[in-house]
Short mmCIF file of all heavy atoms in Angstrom, two decimals:
data_model
loop_
_atom_site.label_atom_id
_atom_site.label_comp_id
_atom_site.label_asym_id
_atom_site.label_seq_id
_atom_site.Cartn_x
_atom_site.Cartn_y
_atom_site.Cartn_z
N GLU A 166 34.50 -35.79 -74.64
CA GLU A 166 35.16 -35.22 -75.82
C GLU A 166 34.15 -34.94 -76.93
O GLU A 166 34.28 -33.96 -77.66
CB GLU A 166 36.26 -36.16 -76.32
CG GLU A 166 37.46 -36.25 -75.40
CD GLU A 166 38.18 -34.93 -75.22
OE1 GLU A 166 38.25 -34.13 -76.18
OE2 GLU A 166 38.68 -34.68 -74.11
N ALA A 167 33.14 -35.80 -77.05
CA ALA A 167 32.12 -35.59 -78.07
C ALA A 167 31.31 -34.32 -77.80
O ALA A 167 31.00 -33.56 -78.72
CB ALA A 167 31.19 -36.80 -78.13
N VAL A 168 31.00 -34.06 -76.54
CA VAL A 168 30.25 -32.85 -76.19
C VAL A 168 31.10 -31.61 -76.43
O VAL A 168 30.62 -30.60 -76.96
CB VAL A 168 29.76 -32.91 -74.72
CG1 VAL A 168 29.17 -31.58 -74.29
CG2 VAL A 168 28.75 -34.02 -74.54
N ILE A 169 32.38 -31.68 -76.07
CA ILE A 169 33.28 -30.55 -76.29
C ILE A 169 33.39 -30.26 -77.79
O ILE A 169 33.29 -29.10 -78.22
CB ILE A 169 34.67 -30.85 -75.66
CG1 ILE A 169 34.55 -30.89 -74.14
CG2 ILE A 169 35.69 -29.81 -76.10
CD1 ILE A 169 35.77 -31.44 -73.42
N ALA A 170 33.55 -31.30 -78.59
CA ALA A 170 33.62 -31.13 -80.05
C ALA A 170 32.30 -30.60 -80.60
O ALA A 170 32.29 -29.80 -81.55
CB ALA A 170 33.99 -32.45 -80.72
N LYS A 171 31.20 -31.02 -80.01
CA LYS A 171 29.88 -30.55 -80.45
C LYS A 171 29.75 -29.04 -80.29
O LYS A 171 29.30 -28.35 -81.20
CB LYS A 171 28.80 -31.27 -79.63
CG LYS A 171 27.39 -30.82 -79.88
CD LYS A 171 26.44 -31.58 -78.97
CE LYS A 171 25.01 -31.18 -79.17
NZ LYS A 171 24.09 -31.98 -78.33
N PHE A 172 30.17 -28.51 -79.13
CA PHE A 172 30.07 -27.07 -78.90
C PHE A 172 31.05 -26.29 -79.77
O PHE A 172 30.72 -25.21 -80.25
CB PHE A 172 30.25 -26.74 -77.42
CG PHE A 172 29.06 -27.11 -76.59
CD1 PHE A 172 29.18 -27.96 -75.52
CD2 PHE A 172 27.80 -26.63 -76.90
CE1 PHE A 172 28.09 -28.31 -74.76
CE2 PHE A 172 26.69 -26.98 -76.16
CZ PHE A 172 26.84 -27.82 -75.08
N GLU A 173 32.25 -26.81 -79.96
CA GLU A 173 33.21 -26.14 -80.84
C GLU A 173 32.68 -26.10 -82.27
O GLU A 173 32.79 -25.08 -82.95
CB GLU A 173 34.56 -26.85 -80.78
CG GLU A 173 35.28 -26.66 -79.46
CD GLU A 173 36.58 -27.45 -79.36
OE1 GLU A 173 36.81 -28.36 -80.19
OE2 GLU A 173 37.36 -27.17 -78.44
N GLY A 174 32.09 -27.19 -82.73
CA GLY A 174 31.51 -27.24 -84.06
C GLY A 174 30.31 -26.33 -84.20
O GLY A 174 30.10 -25.70 -85.24
N LEU A 175 29.52 -26.22 -83.16
CA LEU A 175 28.34 -25.36 -83.18
C LEU A 175 28.74 -23.90 -83.33
O LEU A 175 28.13 -23.16 -84.11
CB LEU A 175 27.52 -25.56 -81.90
CG LEU A 175 26.25 -24.72 -81.77
CD1 LEU A 175 25.28 -25.03 -82.90
CD2 LEU A 175 25.61 -24.96 -80.43
N VAL A 176 29.78 -23.49 -82.61
CA VAL A 176 30.26 -22.11 -82.73
C VAL A 176 30.72 -21.84 -84.16
O VAL A 176 30.39 -20.81 -84.75
CB VAL A 176 31.40 -21.83 -81.72
CG1 VAL A 176 32.08 -20.51 -82.01
CG2 VAL A 176 30.87 -21.85 -80.30
N ALA A 177 31.45 -22.78 -84.75
CA ALA A 177 31.91 -22.62 -86.13
C ALA A 177 30.74 -22.58 -87.11
O ALA A 177 30.74 -21.78 -88.04
CB ALA A 177 32.87 -23.75 -86.49
N THR A 178 29.74 -23.41 -86.88
CA THR A 178 28.56 -23.44 -87.75
C THR A 178 27.81 -22.11 -87.71
O THR A 178 27.26 -21.68 -88.72
CB THR A 178 27.62 -24.58 -87.32
OG1 THR A 178 28.32 -25.81 -87.40
CG2 THR A 178 26.39 -24.64 -88.20
N LEU A 179 27.80 -21.47 -86.55
CA LEU A 179 27.08 -20.20 -86.39
C LEU A 179 27.93 -19.00 -86.81
O LEU A 179 27.54 -17.86 -86.56
CB LEU A 179 26.62 -20.06 -84.93
CG LEU A 179 25.58 -21.09 -84.47
CD1 LEU A 179 25.36 -21.00 -82.98
CD2 LEU A 179 24.28 -20.90 -85.23
N GLY A 180 29.08 -19.25 -87.40
CA GLY A 180 29.91 -18.17 -87.93
C GLY A 180 30.93 -17.61 -86.97
O GLY A 180 31.56 -16.60 -87.26
N GLY A 181 31.14 -18.26 -85.85
CA GLY A 181 32.12 -17.80 -84.87
C GLY A 181 33.41 -18.59 -84.96
O GLY A 181 33.55 -19.50 -85.78
N THR A 182 34.35 -18.24 -84.09
CA THR A 182 35.62 -18.96 -84.02
C THR A 182 35.95 -19.25 -82.57
O THR A 182 35.78 -18.39 -81.70
CB THR A 182 36.78 -18.15 -84.63
OG1 THR A 182 36.87 -16.90 -83.95
CG2 THR A 182 36.57 -17.91 -86.11
N VAL A 183 36.40 -20.46 -82.30
CA VAL A 183 36.81 -20.85 -80.96
C VAL A 183 38.28 -20.48 -80.79
O VAL A 183 39.13 -20.90 -81.57
CB VAL A 183 36.62 -22.36 -80.73
CG1 VAL A 183 37.15 -22.77 -79.37
CG2 VAL A 183 35.15 -22.73 -80.88
N GLU A 184 38.57 -19.66 -79.80
CA GLU A 184 39.96 -19.26 -79.54
C GLU A 184 40.68 -20.27 -78.68
O GLU A 184 41.85 -20.58 -78.92
CB GLU A 184 39.97 -17.89 -78.86
CG GLU A 184 39.46 -16.78 -79.75
CD GLU A 184 39.46 -15.43 -79.06
OE1 GLU A 184 40.02 -15.31 -77.94
OE2 GLU A 184 38.91 -14.50 -79.64
N LYS A 185 39.99 -20.78 -77.64
CA LYS A 185 40.65 -21.70 -76.73
C LYS A 185 39.61 -22.50 -75.97
O LYS A 185 38.55 -21.99 -75.64
CB LYS A 185 41.51 -20.90 -75.75
CG LYS A 185 42.39 -21.72 -74.85
CD LYS A 185 43.46 -20.90 -74.16
CE LYS A 185 42.89 -20.10 -73.02
NZ LYS A 185 43.92 -19.50 -72.17
N THR A 186 39.93 -23.75 -75.69
CA THR A 186 39.09 -24.60 -74.85
C THR A 186 39.96 -25.17 -73.75
O THR A 186 40.90 -25.91 -74.02
CB THR A 186 38.46 -25.75 -75.67
OG1 THR A 186 37.68 -25.19 -76.73
CG2 THR A 186 37.57 -26.61 -74.81
N ASP A 187 39.66 -24.77 -72.51
CA ASP A 187 40.40 -25.26 -71.35
C ASP A 187 39.58 -26.33 -70.65
O ASP A 187 38.45 -26.07 -70.23
CB ASP A 187 40.67 -24.13 -70.35
CG ASP A 187 41.71 -23.16 -70.84
OD1 ASP A 187 42.60 -23.58 -71.61
OD2 ASP A 187 41.64 -21.98 -70.46
N LYS A 188 40.16 -27.51 -70.52
CA LYS A 188 39.51 -28.59 -69.79
C LYS A 188 40.06 -28.58 -68.37
O LYS A 188 41.20 -28.95 -68.14
CB LYS A 188 39.80 -29.92 -70.47
CG LYS A 188 39.29 -29.95 -71.90
CD LYS A 188 39.79 -31.17 -72.63
CE LYS A 188 39.47 -31.04 -74.10
NZ LYS A 188 40.18 -32.02 -74.91
N TRP A 189 39.24 -28.10 -67.44
CA TRP A 189 39.67 -27.99 -66.06
C TRP A 189 39.65 -29.32 -65.34
O TRP A 189 40.26 -29.48 -64.28
CB TRP A 189 38.81 -26.99 -65.31
CG TRP A 189 38.97 -25.57 -65.75
CD1 TRP A 189 39.84 -25.09 -66.70
CD2 TRP A 189 38.26 -24.44 -65.27
NE1 TRP A 189 39.69 -23.74 -66.83
CE2 TRP A 189 38.73 -23.31 -65.96
CE3 TRP A 189 37.26 -24.27 -64.34
CZ2 TRP A 189 38.25 -22.03 -65.72
CZ3 TRP A 189 36.77 -23.00 -64.10
CH2 TRP A 189 37.27 -21.90 -64.79
N GLY A 190 38.91 -30.26 -65.85
CA GLY A 190 38.84 -31.58 -65.24
C GLY A 190 37.74 -31.68 -64.20
O GLY A 190 36.89 -30.81 -64.07
N GLU A 191 37.78 -32.78 -63.46
CA GLU A 191 36.74 -33.04 -62.48
C GLU A 191 37.00 -32.27 -61.19
O GLU A 191 38.12 -32.25 -60.68
CB GLU A 191 36.69 -34.54 -62.17
CG GLU A 191 35.52 -34.94 -61.32
CD GLU A 191 35.39 -36.44 -61.16
OE1 GLU A 191 35.88 -37.18 -62.03
OE2 GLU A 191 34.79 -36.86 -60.17
N ARG A 192 35.95 -31.61 -60.71
CA ARG A 192 36.02 -30.83 -59.48
C ARG A 192 34.76 -31.05 -58.66
O ARG A 192 33.70 -31.36 -59.20
CB ARG A 192 36.16 -29.35 -59.78
CG ARG A 192 37.46 -29.01 -60.47
CD ARG A 192 37.51 -27.56 -60.83
NE ARG A 192 38.77 -27.29 -61.52
CZ ARG A 192 39.58 -26.30 -61.20
NH1 ARG A 192 39.27 -25.47 -60.25
NH2 ARG A 192 40.69 -26.13 -61.87
N LYS A 193 34.89 -30.82 -57.38
CA LYS A 193 33.74 -30.92 -56.48
C LYS A 193 32.85 -29.70 -56.68
O LYS A 193 33.33 -28.59 -56.80
CB LYS A 193 34.22 -31.01 -55.04
CG LYS A 193 33.13 -31.26 -54.03
CD LYS A 193 33.75 -31.53 -52.68
CE LYS A 193 32.79 -31.70 -51.54
NZ LYS A 193 31.41 -31.80 -51.76
N LEU A 194 31.55 -29.92 -56.71
CA LEU A 194 30.60 -28.83 -56.86
C LEU A 194 30.36 -28.17 -55.50
O LEU A 194 30.45 -28.82 -54.46
CB LEU A 194 29.27 -29.35 -57.41
CG LEU A 194 29.32 -30.01 -58.79
CD1 LEU A 194 27.98 -30.63 -59.12
CD2 LEU A 194 29.71 -29.01 -59.84
N ALA A 195 30.04 -26.88 -55.52
CA ALA A 195 29.77 -26.15 -54.28
C ALA A 195 28.50 -26.67 -53.60
O ALA A 195 28.39 -26.64 -52.38
CB ALA A 195 29.65 -24.66 -54.55
N TYR A 196 27.56 -27.13 -54.41
CA TYR A 196 26.31 -27.70 -53.90
C TYR A 196 25.84 -28.75 -54.90
O TYR A 196 26.18 -28.68 -56.08
CB TYR A 196 25.25 -26.61 -53.69
CG TYR A 196 25.00 -25.77 -54.91
CD1 TYR A 196 24.06 -26.13 -55.87
CD2 TYR A 196 25.73 -24.59 -55.12
CE1 TYR A 196 23.86 -25.36 -57.00
CE2 TYR A 196 25.52 -23.82 -56.26
CZ TYR A 196 24.57 -24.20 -57.19
OH TYR A 196 24.37 -23.44 -58.30
#
Side-chain angles (χ1 to χ4, degrees):
E166 290 298 325
V168 172
I169 293 168
K171 175 182 180 177
F172 286 124
E173 290 175 346
L175 180 61
V176 169
T178 301
L179 295 171
T182 57
V183 176
E184 294 179 9
K185 187 166 77 169
T186 301
D187 288 330
K188 300 170 190 167
W189 292 358
E191 188 173 336
R192 295 176 181 229
K193 186 171 175 9
L194 299 173
Y196 53 89

